[in-house]
Amino acid sequence: MPSETNCTLAITGEEDEAVRAPTEQGASAHGHENTAELRTQIRSTLRDEMPQQV
């Protein structure tokens, strides 16, 4: 998700976790309000994790 502070946090996990964690991070570290709108915006940026090449 675009960040004014160039935050490089990357999160993997189940969809609910991958929405909850950055929502809490956005609220605590970046001053965003923990709202349904923010969660929807974050959810829209989720992408399937690419399998690691061995």
Short mmCIF file of all heavy atoms in Angstrom, two decimals:
data_model
loop_
_atom_site.label_atom_id
_atom_site.label_comp_id
_atom_site.label_asym_id
_atom_site.label_seq_id
_atom_site.Cartn_x
_atom_site.Cartn_y
_atom_site.Cartn_z
N MET A 1 0.85 -1.17 0.00
CA MET A 1 0.00 0.00 0.00
C MET A 1 0.90 1.23 0.00
O MET A 1 1.89 1.26 0.73
CB MET A 1 -0.88 -0.04 1.25
CG MET A 1 -1.89 1.02 1.31
SD MET A 1 -3.15 0.57 2.51
CE MET A 1 -4.16 1.98 2.36
N PRO A 2 0.59 2.24 -0.76
CA PRO A 2 1.44 3.44 -0.78
C PRO A 2 1.57 4.04 0.62
O PRO A 2 0.65 3.99 1.42
CB PRO A 2 0.68 4.40 -1.69
CG PRO A 2 -0.18 3.52 -2.53
CD PRO A 2 -0.53 2.34 -1.67
N SER A 3 2.74 4.58 0.89
CA SER A 3 3.02 5.13 2.21
C SER A 3 3.77 6.44 2.09
O SER A 3 4.77 6.51 1.36
CB SER A 3 3.85 4.12 3.02
OG SER A 3 4.37 4.71 4.18
N GLU A 4 3.33 7.44 2.82
CA GLU A 4 4.03 8.72 2.83
C GLU A 4 5.37 8.62 3.54
O GLU A 4 6.26 9.41 3.32
CB GLU A 4 3.16 9.78 3.50
CG GLU A 4 1.92 10.13 2.70
CD GLU A 4 1.03 11.12 3.40
OE1 GLU A 4 1.41 11.62 4.50
OE2 GLU A 4 -0.05 11.41 2.87
N THR A 5 5.52 7.61 4.41
CA THR A 5 6.76 7.45 5.18
C THR A 5 7.65 6.36 4.60
O THR A 5 8.62 5.97 5.22
CB THR A 5 6.44 7.11 6.65
OG1 THR A 5 5.71 5.87 6.69
CG2 THR A 5 5.65 8.21 7.33
N ASN A 6 7.29 5.85 3.42
CA ASN A 6 8.05 4.77 2.77
C ASN A 6 8.17 3.54 3.65
O ASN A 6 9.20 2.88 3.69
CB ASN A 6 9.43 5.26 2.33
CG ASN A 6 9.32 6.32 1.26
OD1 ASN A 6 8.53 6.19 0.34
ND2 ASN A 6 10.08 7.38 1.40
N CYS A 7 7.09 3.20 4.35
CA CYS A 7 7.05 2.01 5.19
C CYS A 7 7.29 0.78 4.31
O CYS A 7 6.71 0.65 3.23
CB CYS A 7 5.69 1.92 5.88
SG CYS A 7 5.54 0.54 7.03
N THR A 8 8.13 -0.12 4.76
CA THR A 8 8.47 -1.31 3.98
C THR A 8 7.91 -2.59 4.59
O THR A 8 8.31 -3.68 4.19
CB THR A 8 10.00 -1.44 3.85
OG1 THR A 8 10.56 -1.57 5.17
CG2 THR A 8 10.59 -0.25 3.13
N LEU A 9 7.00 -2.47 5.53
CA LEU A 9 6.43 -3.64 6.18
C LEU A 9 5.74 -4.54 5.16
O LEU A 9 4.95 -4.07 4.33
CB LEU A 9 5.41 -3.21 7.24
CG LEU A 9 4.73 -4.32 8.02
CD1 LEU A 9 5.75 -5.07 8.87
CD2 LEU A 9 3.64 -3.75 8.89
N ALA A 10 6.05 -5.82 5.19
CA ALA A 10 5.40 -6.82 4.33
C ALA A 10 4.79 -7.87 5.24
O ALA A 10 5.41 -8.28 6.23
CB ALA A 10 6.41 -7.45 3.39
N ILE A 11 3.59 -8.31 4.91
CA ILE A 11 2.86 -9.25 5.76
C ILE A 11 2.35 -10.40 4.91
O ILE A 11 1.84 -10.18 3.81
CB ILE A 11 1.69 -8.54 6.46
CG1 ILE A 11 2.22 -7.44 7.37
CG2 ILE A 11 0.82 -9.52 7.22
CD1 ILE A 11 1.16 -6.56 7.97
N THR A 12 2.50 -11.61 5.43
CA THR A 12 1.90 -12.77 4.79
C THR A 12 1.04 -13.49 5.81
O THR A 12 1.25 -13.37 7.01
CB THR A 12 2.97 -13.75 4.25
OG1 THR A 12 3.72 -14.27 5.35
CG2 THR A 12 3.88 -13.09 3.25
N GLY A 13 0.06 -14.22 5.33
CA GLY A 13 -0.79 -14.98 6.23
C GLY A 13 -2.19 -15.12 5.65
O GLY A 13 -2.44 -14.79 4.49
N GLU A 14 -3.08 -15.59 6.48
CA GLU A 14 -4.47 -15.72 6.09
C GLU A 14 -5.05 -14.33 5.84
O GLU A 14 -4.58 -13.34 6.41
CB GLU A 14 -5.27 -16.43 7.18
CG GLU A 14 -4.83 -17.86 7.43
CD GLU A 14 -5.05 -18.75 6.22
OE1 GLU A 14 -6.08 -18.60 5.53
OE2 GLU A 14 -4.19 -19.61 5.97
N GLU A 15 -6.07 -14.25 5.01
CA GLU A 15 -6.61 -12.95 4.61
C GLU A 15 -6.99 -12.07 5.80
O GLU A 15 -6.64 -10.88 5.83
CB GLU A 15 -7.82 -13.13 3.69
CG GLU A 15 -8.36 -11.82 3.17
CD GLU A 15 -9.46 -11.98 2.14
OE1 GLU A 15 -9.60 -13.08 1.56
OE2 GLU A 15 -10.17 -11.00 1.91
N ASP A 16 -7.69 -12.62 6.78
CA ASP A 16 -8.10 -11.80 7.93
C ASP A 16 -6.89 -11.24 8.67
O ASP A 16 -6.89 -10.08 9.09
CB ASP A 16 -8.97 -12.60 8.89
CG ASP A 16 -10.37 -12.83 8.35
OD1 ASP A 16 -10.77 -12.14 7.39
OD2 ASP A 16 -11.06 -13.71 8.90
N GLU A 17 -5.83 -12.04 8.81
CA GLU A 17 -4.60 -11.58 9.47
C GLU A 17 -3.90 -10.52 8.63
O GLU A 17 -3.38 -9.53 9.17
CB GLU A 17 -3.62 -12.74 9.66
CG GLU A 17 -4.11 -13.83 10.57
CD GLU A 17 -3.21 -15.05 10.54
OE1 GLU A 17 -2.75 -15.44 9.44
OE2 GLU A 17 -2.96 -15.59 11.63
N ALA A 18 -3.91 -10.73 7.31
CA ALA A 18 -3.23 -9.82 6.39
C ALA A 18 -3.98 -8.50 6.23
O ALA A 18 -3.45 -7.58 5.63
CB ALA A 18 -3.03 -10.49 5.04
N VAL A 19 -5.17 -8.41 6.77
CA VAL A 19 -5.91 -7.14 6.81
C VAL A 19 -5.78 -6.53 8.21
O VAL A 19 -5.50 -5.34 8.35
CB VAL A 19 -7.39 -7.33 6.43
CG1 VAL A 19 -8.19 -6.05 6.69
CG2 VAL A 19 -7.51 -7.75 4.98
N ARG A 20 -5.95 -7.34 9.24
CA ARG A 20 -5.92 -6.84 10.61
C ARG A 20 -4.56 -6.23 10.97
O ARG A 20 -4.48 -5.13 11.51
CB ARG A 20 -6.27 -7.95 11.60
CG ARG A 20 -6.36 -7.48 13.03
CD ARG A 20 -6.80 -8.59 14.00
NE ARG A 20 -6.00 -9.79 13.87
CZ ARG A 20 -6.45 -10.95 13.39
NH1 ARG A 20 -7.70 -11.05 12.98
NH2 ARG A 20 -5.66 -12.00 13.32
N ALA A 21 -3.47 -6.93 10.65
CA ALA A 21 -2.14 -6.45 11.04
C ALA A 21 -1.78 -5.10 10.44
O ALA A 21 -1.35 -4.19 11.16
CB ALA A 21 -1.09 -7.51 10.71
N PRO A 22 -1.93 -4.90 9.12
CA PRO A 22 -1.57 -3.59 8.59
C PRO A 22 -2.57 -2.49 9.01
O PRO A 22 -2.19 -1.32 9.08
CB PRO A 22 -1.56 -3.78 7.07
CG PRO A 22 -2.38 -4.99 6.82
CD PRO A 22 -2.22 -5.84 8.05
N THR A 23 -3.80 -2.86 9.31
CA THR A 23 -4.75 -1.87 9.82
C THR A 23 -4.28 -1.36 11.17
O THR A 23 -4.24 -0.15 11.41
CB THR A 23 -6.16 -2.48 9.94
OG1 THR A 23 -6.59 -2.94 8.66
CG2 THR A 23 -7.16 -1.46 10.47
N GLU A 24 -3.88 -2.29 12.04
CA GLU A 24 -3.37 -1.90 13.36
C GLU A 24 -2.06 -1.12 13.23
O GLU A 24 -1.84 -0.15 13.94
CB GLU A 24 -3.20 -3.14 14.23
CG GLU A 24 -4.54 -3.77 14.59
CD GLU A 24 -4.41 -5.11 15.29
OE1 GLU A 24 -3.27 -5.59 15.51
OE2 GLU A 24 -5.46 -5.69 15.62
N GLN A 25 -1.18 -1.54 12.31
CA GLN A 25 0.08 -0.84 12.05
C GLN A 25 -0.20 0.58 11.55
O GLN A 25 0.42 1.53 12.00
CB GLN A 25 0.91 -1.62 11.04
CG GLN A 25 2.02 -0.87 10.34
CD GLN A 25 3.22 -0.55 11.21
OE1 GLN A 25 3.29 -0.97 12.34
NE2 GLN A 25 4.16 0.18 10.67
N GLY A 26 -1.13 0.70 10.64
CA GLY A 26 -1.47 2.01 10.10
C GLY A 26 -2.00 2.95 11.17
O GLY A 26 -1.67 4.14 11.19
N ALA A 27 -2.79 2.40 12.08
CA ALA A 27 -3.35 3.22 13.15
C ALA A 27 -2.28 3.59 14.18
O ALA A 27 -2.17 4.76 14.57
CB ALA A 27 -4.51 2.49 13.82
N SER A 28 -1.48 2.63 14.60
CA SER A 28 -0.53 2.89 15.68
C SER A 28 0.72 3.65 15.22
O SER A 28 1.25 4.47 15.95
CB SER A 28 -0.12 1.58 16.35
OG SER A 28 0.63 0.77 15.47
N ALA A 29 1.20 3.38 14.02
CA ALA A 29 2.47 3.97 13.58
C ALA A 29 2.31 5.12 12.60
O ALA A 29 3.24 5.90 12.43
CB ALA A 29 3.35 2.89 12.96
N HIS A 30 1.17 5.19 11.93
CA HIS A 30 1.03 6.18 10.87
C HIS A 30 -0.14 7.14 11.06
O HIS A 30 -0.41 7.96 10.18
CB HIS A 30 0.91 5.47 9.51
CG HIS A 30 2.09 4.62 9.20
ND1 HIS A 30 3.30 5.13 8.79
CD2 HIS A 30 2.25 3.27 9.27
CE1 HIS A 30 4.15 4.14 8.60
NE2 HIS A 30 3.54 3.00 8.89
N GLY A 31 -0.87 7.01 12.16
CA GLY A 31 -1.93 7.96 12.47
C GLY A 31 -3.23 7.77 11.71
O GLY A 31 -4.09 8.64 11.74
N HIS A 32 -3.39 6.63 11.02
CA HIS A 32 -4.66 6.37 10.33
C HIS A 32 -5.71 5.97 11.35
O HIS A 32 -5.40 5.46 12.42
CB HIS A 32 -4.51 5.23 9.31
CG HIS A 32 -3.57 5.54 8.20
ND1 HIS A 32 -3.87 6.43 7.19
CD2 HIS A 32 -2.33 5.09 7.93
CE1 HIS A 32 -2.87 6.51 6.35
NE2 HIS A 32 -1.91 5.70 6.78
N GLU A 33 -6.96 6.17 11.02
CA GLU A 33 -8.05 5.70 11.86
C GLU A 33 -8.39 4.27 11.45
O GLU A 33 -8.43 3.94 10.27
CB GLU A 33 -9.28 6.58 11.71
CG GLU A 33 -9.08 7.97 12.30
CD GLU A 33 -10.37 8.77 12.29
OE1 GLU A 33 -11.44 8.17 12.53
OE2 GLU A 33 -10.30 9.97 12.03
N ASN A 34 -8.60 3.41 12.44
CA ASN A 34 -8.96 2.01 12.20
C ASN A 34 -10.45 1.97 11.83
O ASN A 34 -11.32 1.88 12.68
CB ASN A 34 -8.68 1.18 13.45
CG ASN A 34 -8.90 -0.30 13.21
OD1 ASN A 34 -9.60 -0.70 12.30
ND2 ASN A 34 -8.31 -1.10 14.06
N THR A 35 -10.70 2.08 10.53
CA THR A 35 -12.08 2.14 10.04
C THR A 35 -12.35 1.03 9.04
O THR A 35 -11.42 0.43 8.49
CB THR A 35 -12.35 3.48 9.34
OG1 THR A 35 -11.48 3.57 8.19
CG2 THR A 35 -12.08 4.66 10.26
N ALA A 36 -13.62 0.80 8.77
CA ALA A 36 -14.00 -0.18 7.74
C ALA A 36 -13.44 0.25 6.39
O ALA A 36 -13.03 -0.59 5.59
CB ALA A 36 -15.52 -0.31 7.69
N GLU A 37 -13.40 1.55 6.14
CA GLU A 37 -12.87 2.05 4.87
C GLU A 37 -11.39 1.70 4.71
O GLU A 37 -10.95 1.28 3.64
CB GLU A 37 -13.07 3.56 4.77
CG GLU A 37 -12.56 4.14 3.46
CD GLU A 37 -12.75 5.64 3.38
OE1 GLU A 37 -13.37 6.24 4.28
OE2 GLU A 37 -12.27 6.22 2.39
N LEU A 38 -10.61 1.87 5.78
CA LEU A 38 -9.19 1.52 5.73
C LEU A 38 -9.03 0.02 5.49
O LEU A 38 -8.22 -0.40 4.66
CB LEU A 38 -8.48 1.94 7.01
CG LEU A 38 -7.00 1.58 7.09
CD1 LEU A 38 -6.21 2.23 5.96
CD2 LEU A 38 -6.43 1.97 8.45
N ARG A 39 -9.80 -0.80 6.19
CA ARG A 39 -9.71 -2.26 6.01
C ARG A 39 -10.08 -2.66 4.58
O ARG A 39 -9.42 -3.51 3.98
CB ARG A 39 -10.59 -2.97 7.04
CG ARG A 39 -10.03 -2.84 8.45
CD ARG A 39 -10.81 -3.67 9.46
NE ARG A 39 -12.18 -3.23 9.63
CZ ARG A 39 -12.55 -2.23 10.42
NH1 ARG A 39 -11.66 -1.55 11.12
NH2 ARG A 39 -13.83 -1.91 10.53
N THR A 40 -11.08 -2.01 4.01
CA THR A 40 -11.46 -2.29 2.62
C THR A 40 -10.34 -1.90 1.67
O THR A 40 -10.02 -2.63 0.73
CB THR A 40 -12.76 -1.55 2.26
OG1 THR A 40 -13.81 -2.03 3.10
CG2 THR A 40 -13.14 -1.74 0.80
N GLN A 41 -9.74 -0.75 1.91
CA GLN A 41 -8.63 -0.29 1.07
C GLN A 41 -7.45 -1.27 1.16
O GLN A 41 -6.86 -1.63 0.14
CB GLN A 41 -8.20 1.10 1.50
CG GLN A 41 -7.18 1.73 0.60
CD GLN A 41 -6.84 3.16 1.02
OE1 GLN A 41 -7.17 3.59 2.13
NE2 GLN A 41 -6.18 3.88 0.15
N ILE A 42 -7.12 -1.70 2.36
CA ILE A 42 -6.02 -2.66 2.53
C ILE A 42 -6.37 -3.97 1.85
O ILE A 42 -5.54 -4.55 1.13
CB ILE A 42 -5.71 -2.86 4.02
CG1 ILE A 42 -5.07 -1.59 4.57
CG2 ILE A 42 -4.82 -4.08 4.24
CD1 ILE A 42 -4.93 -1.55 6.07
N ARG A 43 -7.59 -4.46 2.06
CA ARG A 43 -8.00 -5.73 1.45
C ARG A 43 -7.87 -5.67 -0.08
O ARG A 43 -7.48 -6.65 -0.72
CB ARG A 43 -9.44 -6.05 1.85
CG ARG A 43 -9.88 -7.45 1.49
CD ARG A 43 -11.29 -7.75 1.99
NE ARG A 43 -11.47 -7.56 3.41
CZ ARG A 43 -11.17 -8.44 4.36
NH1 ARG A 43 -10.63 -9.58 4.03
NH2 ARG A 43 -11.38 -8.16 5.64
N SER A 44 -8.14 -4.51 -0.67
CA SER A 44 -8.07 -4.39 -2.13
C SER A 44 -6.64 -4.47 -2.66
O SER A 44 -6.43 -4.69 -3.85
CB SER A 44 -8.72 -3.08 -2.58
OG SER A 44 -7.89 -1.97 -2.29
N THR A 45 -5.65 -4.31 -1.79
CA THR A 45 -4.26 -4.37 -2.23
C THR A 45 -3.64 -5.75 -2.05
O THR A 45 -2.50 -5.97 -2.47
CB THR A 45 -3.38 -3.35 -1.47
OG1 THR A 45 -3.29 -3.73 -0.09
CG2 THR A 45 -3.93 -1.94 -1.61
N LEU A 46 -4.35 -6.67 -1.42
CA LEU A 46 -3.80 -8.00 -1.16
C LEU A 46 -3.55 -8.76 -2.47
O LEU A 46 -4.33 -8.67 -3.41
CB LEU A 46 -4.74 -8.83 -0.28
CG LEU A 46 -5.00 -8.31 1.12
CD1 LEU A 46 -5.95 -9.25 1.85
CD2 LEU A 46 -3.71 -8.14 1.90
N ARG A 47 -2.48 -9.50 -2.49
CA ARG A 47 -2.12 -10.33 -3.63
C ARG A 47 -1.76 -11.71 -3.12
O ARG A 47 -1.22 -11.85 -2.02
CB ARG A 47 -0.91 -9.76 -4.38
CG ARG A 47 -1.09 -8.33 -4.89
CD ARG A 47 -2.12 -8.28 -6.03
NE ARG A 47 -2.36 -6.92 -6.47
CZ ARG A 47 -3.41 -6.19 -6.14
NH1 ARG A 47 -4.32 -6.67 -5.32
NH2 ARG A 47 -3.57 -4.98 -6.60
N ASP A 48 -2.02 -12.74 -3.91
CA ASP A 48 -1.63 -14.08 -3.53
C ASP A 48 -0.11 -14.15 -3.41
O ASP A 48 0.62 -13.57 -4.22
CB ASP A 48 -2.10 -15.11 -4.55
CG ASP A 48 -3.60 -15.32 -4.49
OD1 ASP A 48 -4.19 -15.08 -3.43
OD2 ASP A 48 -4.17 -15.73 -5.52
N GLU A 49 0.35 -14.86 -2.38
CA GLU A 49 1.78 -15.03 -2.20
C GLU A 49 2.34 -15.93 -3.28
O GLU A 49 1.75 -16.94 -3.64
CB GLU A 49 2.04 -15.64 -0.82
CG GLU A 49 3.48 -15.73 -0.46
CD GLU A 49 3.67 -16.24 0.97
OE1 GLU A 49 2.70 -16.70 1.58
OE2 GLU A 49 4.80 -16.16 1.45
N MET A 50 3.47 -15.54 -3.84
CA MET A 50 4.12 -16.34 -4.89
C MET A 50 4.91 -17.47 -4.23
O MET A 50 5.63 -17.23 -3.26
CB MET A 50 5.06 -15.47 -5.73
CG MET A 50 4.35 -14.30 -6.41
SD MET A 50 3.05 -14.81 -7.54
CE MET A 50 4.01 -15.58 -8.80
N PRO A 51 4.79 -18.69 -4.74
CA PRO A 51 5.57 -19.80 -4.17
C PRO A 51 7.06 -19.52 -4.32
O PRO A 51 7.50 -18.98 -5.34
CB PRO A 51 5.17 -21.01 -5.00
CG PRO A 51 4.14 -20.55 -5.97
CD PRO A 51 3.99 -19.08 -5.86
N GLN A 52 7.82 -19.88 -3.32
CA GLN A 52 9.26 -19.69 -3.37
C GLN A 52 9.90 -20.75 -4.26
O GLN A 52 9.52 -21.91 -4.22
CB GLN A 52 9.88 -19.76 -1.98
CG GLN A 52 9.44 -18.60 -1.10
CD GLN A 52 10.17 -18.60 0.23
OE1 GLN A 52 11.04 -19.40 0.46
NE2 GLN A 52 9.78 -17.69 1.09
N GLN A 53 10.86 -20.31 -5.06
CA GLN A 53 11.59 -21.22 -5.93
C GLN A 53 12.69 -21.89 -5.10
O GLN A 53 13.40 -21.24 -4.37
CB GLN A 53 12.21 -20.44 -7.11
CG GLN A 53 11.20 -19.76 -7.97
CD GLN A 53 10.35 -20.74 -8.76
OE1 GLN A 53 10.84 -21.79 -9.18
NE2 GLN A 53 9.10 -20.41 -8.94
N VAL A 54 12.84 -23.17 -5.28
CA VAL A 54 13.87 -23.91 -4.56
C VAL A 54 15.04 -24.19 -5.47
O VAL A 54 14.99 -24.33 -6.61
CB VAL A 54 13.31 -25.24 -4.00
CG1 VAL A 54 14.39 -26.00 -3.27
CG2 VAL A 54 12.14 -24.94 -3.11
#
